[in-house]
Amino acid sequence: FFFAPWNMSATRSPSATRSRSATRSSSATRSPSAKRSQSATRSSRPEKKNYVRPKRWLSRKEQIAKLELQLGLVKPSDAPKPKPKEDPAKKAALKRKIEAIEEEVAQMDEEPAAKRRKQQQMIKKAKKDLAGAEKNWNEGGVQGDVITKMACDQLLYLWRCPEGTVEKKLQQYYSKKLADQGEKDAVQSVKLLTNGYGDFNGQALVAFRLRGHRTKALAIRAPFVGSQQMRTWNPSSTPTPGSELVVLDLPPGTKESHLFDYYKVIPELSSIRLTMNRGYKTFVGKAVVGFSSKQGCMKAWNLGPVKVAGKQSRRWVKGRLEGKELFLKGSTKLTDEVVMERYKSLGPDAIIGITWHTKGQTDVHSGQGIVAFRTDKEMEQALAMGGFKVDEDAITVEKPTPLPAAASKGADFMET
């Protein structure tokens, strides 16, 4: 016979209907203690772990390749590799290098065709150097971040390194010398430093496993390459304030020989350090020239700024000079140009150093800095000129606080 599904409730027995309503009413009138016991039972159950979605779902092609690799149908070397993502930092670094190359080539006195060929060669070499920057530094397989993570007192700085210097031979030299003193596996890595175009700049870093190894290495005679002997410098040393000259605005192709040939006439010359970035891969256009005394530094100052590849550099005396400084504060618009314009009446060589303070570990200008003068008289004249304004910002000029007893140490061959 035929019946409609909507008539099923009508055919249900009265007893079934009563039992169903009783069940509902009993659950509604359940005591609070029973509810608490039920909630406690639920809380005691183990919680399910949240499902973590993968970062990226595999495409059908990648799923097939993964399955083939698992089944052994293809070798790992034959498996398709994902396309590497473009690093924006590397892209920006390459752009800066290309701009610097174009600027340097434009100053060359050559035929347009020769300049164009040279520019293409430089750009090609810069791209190759940037692509191979992540590779191992030496044949020992030590990764590039080993030296980056080293403390200053575990590094030995070598300068006056001639062409033909090899990382492996430097490592063997110091390893053998320290092994003769009972120190095995003392050298961890050796790094030849390069300029902005990837060419060897004449300097190197040696990383040691322990601080005591570096101390013993300083006492070892520096190695020879041919007839030229290298020279060493202690990165954790504290030079006398006012005995070092900071050279700025150097072109990317700068090598140590450019600075050495200019300052070698000064007998007090004690070190030359070309400043690299934190990874020791890129030259930042700055160098520190050290002298054994303040008098030697002033002799270098009187020589005037060095010119490299036709580009004029700037220079400042590094370190606080007690009694010859003024403290300026009041505006983030304070720049070297503003200060030089303010005190140009004191003479072109009156200011020998400007140091701007930044906020924390950033490069953000804090609106204050130290200006060093060549003589006490010039400093007093600048102080008598009083404060001034920069775009409605009032600038305060006063004497700085005295220097602390202990000077701070730092690795100025690396940009901080």
Side-chain angles (χ1 to χ4, degrees), residues 59-345:
S59 64
R60 183 175 180 80
K61 186 176 180 181
E62 290 173 333
Q63 290 176 0
I64 294 172
K66 185 178 179 181
L67 185 61
E68 289 178 345
L69 185 62
Q70 291 175 349
L71 296 175
L73 300 177
V74 294
K75 296 179 181 179
S77 58
D78 300 334
K81 298 180 180 179
K83 187 178 180 181
K85 294 183 179 179
E86 189 175 15
D87 188 358
K90 286 186 179 181
K91 188 176 179 181
L94 180 62
K95 185 179 178 181
R96 290 195 299 269
K97 280 189 177 183
I98 292 175
E99 290 175 353
I101 289 172
E102 291 174 351
E103 182 180 350
E104 184 174 352
V105 171
Q107 297 178 357
M108 294 180 180
D109 188 16
E110 295 183 11
E111 294 293 328
K115 291 168 72 173
R116 190 163 50 251
R117 285 195 302 270
K118 198 160 189 176
Q119 179 175 329
Q120 291 174 353
Q121 292 173 358
M122 286 180 171
I123 292 175
K124 186 177 180 181
K125 190 168 186 179
K127 289 181 177 179
K128 185 178 179 182
D129 174 61
L130 194 64
E134 300 300 326
K135 294 184 179 179
N136 294 353
W137 283 347
N138 52 36
E139 299 178 9
V142 180
Q143 295 295 331
D145 58 356
V146 171
I147 288 185
T148 306
K149 296 177 181 178
M150 287 286 181
C152 294
D153 48 11
Q154 291 177 259
L155 297 176
L156 179 65
Y157 198 91
L158 293 172
W159 64 293
R160 296 296 295 144
C161 303
E163 293 291 339
T165 304
V166 182
E167 293 174 347
K168 188 175 180 180
K169 290 186 178 180
L170 279 177
Q171 189 166 2
Q172 291 174 348
Y173 177 82
Y174 281 103
S175 296
K176 185 178 182 302
K177 292 290 184 181
L178 291 173
D180 294 341
Q181 301 180 23
E183 303 290 351
K184 295 184 178 180
D185 301 326
V187 182
Q188 282 203 315
S189 182
V190 176
K191 169 70 174 175
L192 298 184
L193 302 181
T194 57
N195 62 12
Y197 299 141
D199 299 326
F200 178 49
N201 67 6
Q203 304 189 334
L205 280 175
V206 184
F208 296 91
R209 186 166 52 87
L210 299 174
R211 299 173 182 178
H213 296 157
R214 201 285 305 270
T215 304
K216 293 183 178 180
L218 282 169
I220 298 174
R221 188 179 65 168
F224 281 84
V225 175
S227 59
Q228 182 173 327
Q229 185 181 16
M230 302 179 190
R231 297 175 68 176
T232 60
W233 178 75
N234 184 357
S236 58
S237 61
T238 305
T240 305
S243 64
E244 292 180 314
L245 201 65
V246 181
V247 185
L248 307 169
D249 297 342
L250 292 170
T254 303
K255 295 185 178 182
E256 181 201 275
S257 56
H258 293 126
L259 300 176
F260 182 79
D261 293 341
Y262 188 76
Y263 292 111
K264 66 182 180 181
V265 295
I266 302 173
E268 292 91 347
L269 179 64
S270 61
S271 66
I272 297 175
R273 290 101 67 190
L274 299 177
T275 306
M276 311 292 289
N277 67 347
R278 278 200 168 274
Y280 300 102
K281 298 171 185 175
T282 307
F283 174 58
V284 299
K286 183 172 74 173
V288 180
V289 184
F291 301 90
S292 58
S293 64
K294 294 181 181 180
Q295 291 75 16
C297 186
M298 292 312 300
K299 290 178 184 178
W301 176 268
N302 295 331
L303 286 177
V306 62
K307 186 179 288 188
V308 178
K311 185 177 180 181
Q312 187 80 20
S313 64
R314 295 186 296 121
R315 82 272 194 234
W316 300 127
V317 175
K318 186 180 179 183
R320 296 282 303 274
L321 302 175
E322 197 72 59
K324 300 180 182 180
E325 298 173 331
L326 290 179
F327 180 63
L328 276 63
K329 65 177 181 179
S331 176
T332 56
K333 298 175 184 178
L334 279 171
T335 61
D336 293 358
E337 291 75 18
V338 171
V339 174
M340 297 297 291
E341 179 66 23
R342 171 66 178 173
Y343 299 114
K344 66 179 181 181
S345 60

Side-chain angles (χ1 to χ4, degrees), residues 1-21:
F1 68 102
F2 172 78
F3 71 94
W6 52 83
N7 291 330
M8 290 180 64
S9 60
T11 60
R12 189 177 293 161
S13 64
S15 61
T17 305
R18 283 193 301 272
S19 64
R20 190 175 184 84
S21 61

